[in-house]
Every structure is written in structure tokens, then in C-alpha cells.
């Protein structure tokens, strides 16, 4: 039952975000914020596919234990693409609110993103092992969480100051995604049921993509 539900859910998710992303790229018509948003959505979907497709295959065949290496590599790719996702979202913020300064903020975003990627690429993560260390899972997610918090603050302040109704809840989608993601990182190995939080986390990302898509349509 889990295999059927999870596989169908993941298929719907991947098709939805990639399709919306492609439509945004094609419909951006010179509007940089929506081109970036579309690339961001496609990056999200394609990156997650590296983990979700092997997981679906594993669930529908011989089980997760026989696909440890593939799942680990998929998690690595997803970790990198999720970082790119937030960098692109930062540039969506700059484009939408016509930000021309904030060089310090831009530098901070890049330092956090590159730190996260570097930590992800360290061999100590043991991505292809069944006993990957929790400590490195925490280390690599520290700059990622800070990056997410920075994006939350930027969108919250700008949407409030400009009374930007289409983007008024974007900060909340990021908060919800991290609120569901962090417990999975910390406790999923000890309490597998915590892994179910990935469902609302995924829904939060779909909401993020829909905010940009609906804003583009309404404009």
C-alpha cells in the first residue's frame, strides 16, 4: 500500500512542478523574475527525481535496502539542487522587488550556498552507506537552514512593505518546508514514521511553485 501511494504521490509531484516550471519559462516573455522562477521549479523537480525515482523503484521491487547506493547518490544530487533552488529564489526576490544593492546579502547567500555544497560533497557524509552519520547530516544542513531563514525574512519584509498580495505567503511556504524537513534529518533514522513529514514538505514546495505560476498568470 505504501509503495502504491508514495509512488503515485511522487509522480504527481514531479510532473506538476516540472510542468509548471516549463510553462513559466515559456510564458515569462522577458520578465526575468518568472524566467528565474520557472528555472527554479524545473531544478526542483529534476533534482528531486534523482532521489524519488530510485525510491519508487525500490519500494515497488525488492525494498529500500537493495538500493542504498542509488538512494544515497540521489540524496546528494537533491541536496545540491535544493541549494540551487534557494539561490534562484533569492534572485527572484531581487528581480521582483527591483533590488539593486544589498551586496552584503548577496555575498552571504553565496557563502552559505557554497558552504552547503562543499559540506555535501565531503566523503564523511557516506552517502552510499546504509549507516550514514547523523552528525554530517546536521553539519551540512546548518548553512542550508540559515539560507532558508534569510529567504524567509527577505520575502516577508518585502511582501509586507509593498503589500504584494500574490507573494504574501511565500515566506510561509519556506517556513513550513523547513519545519517538516528538520525533524526528518534529526529523527527519521530512529523513528521511521517521522519520514511521513516529507509529504507536507513536498506540498509546501508545490505551493511555492504555484505562487509564482499564479502571479504570472494574473499579470
Amino acid at each position: 500500500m505504501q509503495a502504491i501511494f508514495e509512488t503515485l504521490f511522487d509522480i504527481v509531484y514531479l510532473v506538476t512542478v516540472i510542468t509548471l516550471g516549463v510553462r513559466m519559462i515559456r510564458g515569462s516573455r522577458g520578465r526575468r523574475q518568472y524566467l528565474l522562477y520557472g528555472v527554479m521549479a524545473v531544478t526542483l523537480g529534476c533534482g528531486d527525481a534523482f532521489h524519488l525515482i530510485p525510491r519508487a523503484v525500490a519500494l515497488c521491487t525488492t525494498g529500500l535496502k537493495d538500493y542504498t547506493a542509488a538512494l544515497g547518490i540521489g540524496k546528494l544530487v537533491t541536496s545540491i539542487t535544493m541549494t540551487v533552488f534557494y539561490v534562484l529564489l533569492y534572485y527572484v526576490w531581487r528581480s521582483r522587488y527591483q533590488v539593486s544593492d544589498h551586496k552584503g546579502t548577496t555575498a552571504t547567500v553565496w557563502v552559505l550556498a557554497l558552504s552547503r555544497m562543499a559540506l555535501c560533497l565531503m566523503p564523511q557524509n557516506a552517502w552510499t552507506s546504509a549507516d550514514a552519520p547523523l552528525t554530517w547530516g546536521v553539519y551540512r544542513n546548518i548553512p542550508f537552514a540559515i539560507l532558508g531563514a534569510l529567504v524567509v525574512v527577505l520575502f516577508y519584509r518585502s511582501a509586507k512593505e509593498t503589500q504584494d498580495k500574490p507573494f504574501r505567503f511565500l515566506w510561509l511556504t519556506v517556513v513550513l518546508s523547513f519545519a517538516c524537513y528538520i525533524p526528518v534529518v534529526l529523527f527519521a533514522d530512529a523513528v521511521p514514521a517521522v519520514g511521513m513529514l516529507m509529504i507536507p514538505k513536498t506540498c509546501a514546495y508545490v505551493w511555492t511553485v504555484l505562487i509564482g505560476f499564479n502571479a504570472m498568470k494574473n499579470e
Side-chain angles (χ1 to χ4, degrees):
M1 189 67 178
Q2 178 191 356
I4 296 173
F5 172 78
E6 190 171 325
T7 300
L8 289 176
F9 179 83
D10 290 342
I11 290 172
V12 171
Y13 160 65
L14 293 175
V15 170
T16 298
V17 295
I18 292 174
T19 300
L20 291 176
V22 170
R23 290 185 64 183
M24 291 181 74
I25 292 171
R26 295 180 63 184
S28 58
R29 298 176 183 174
R31 292 172 291 180
R32 187 169 184 267
Q33 62 172 306
Y34 296 122
L35 175 62
L36 288 170
Y37 218 115
V39 172
M40 185 184 80
V42 172
T43 300
L44 172 68
C46 291
D48 282 356
F50 276 89
H51 173 63
L52 296 179
I53 292 176
R55 183 175 175 85
V57 172
L59 288 172
C60 295
T61 54
T62 56
L64 299 175
K65 291 182 179 180
D66 292 335
Y67 290 82
T68 300
L71 290 169
I73 293 171
K75 286 182 181 179
L76 169 59
V77 174
T78 298
S79 297
I80 299 295
T81 54
M82 282 305 307
T83 309
V84 175
F85 174 90
Y86 279 101
V87 172
L88 290 170
L89 188 54
Y90 168 71
Y91 280 97
V92 168
W93 170 78
R94 291 185 65 90
S95 180
R96 184 167 184 84
Y97 300 106
Q98 299 179 353
V99 178
S100 58
D101 49 2
H102 284 264
K103 292 182 179 180
T105 304
T106 301
T108 301
V109 166
W110 278 104
V111 168
L112 291 170
L114 292 174
S115 298
R116 154 80 166 177
M117 293 179 188
L119 287 169
C120 287
L121 293 171
M122 296 296 286
Q124 290 88 340
N125 287 285
W127 290 105
T128 58
S129 170
D131 299 313
L134 174 61
T135 51
W136 275 87
V138 174
Y139 295 156
R140 66 178 178 260
N141 279 296
I142 290 174
F144 186 52
I146 297 173
L147 177 59
L150 179 58
V151 169
V152 166
V153 171
L154 293 174
F155 272 98
Y156 177 79
R157 287 180 176 176
S158 295
K160 187 175 182 180
E161 289 171 0
T162 61
Q163 297 184 342
D164 184 3
K165 289 185 178 181
F167 275 64
R168 67 189 183 278
F169 292 128
L170 192 139
W171 67 273
L172 180 59
T173 70
V174 178
V175 169
L176 291 175
S177 67
F178 274 95
C180 295
Y181 174 66
I182 292 174
V184 173
V185 172
L186 297 175
F187 308 117
D189 288 340
V191 186
V194 174
M196 293 295 289
L197 286 173
M198 294 301 282
I199 294 176
K201 168 188 170 289
T202 300
C203 292
Y205 279 118
V206 173
W207 187 11
T208 303
V209 174
L210 282 171
I211 285 174
F213 180 75
N214 288 331
M216 185 186 76
K217 280 203 313 178
N218 290 335
E219 288 183 11

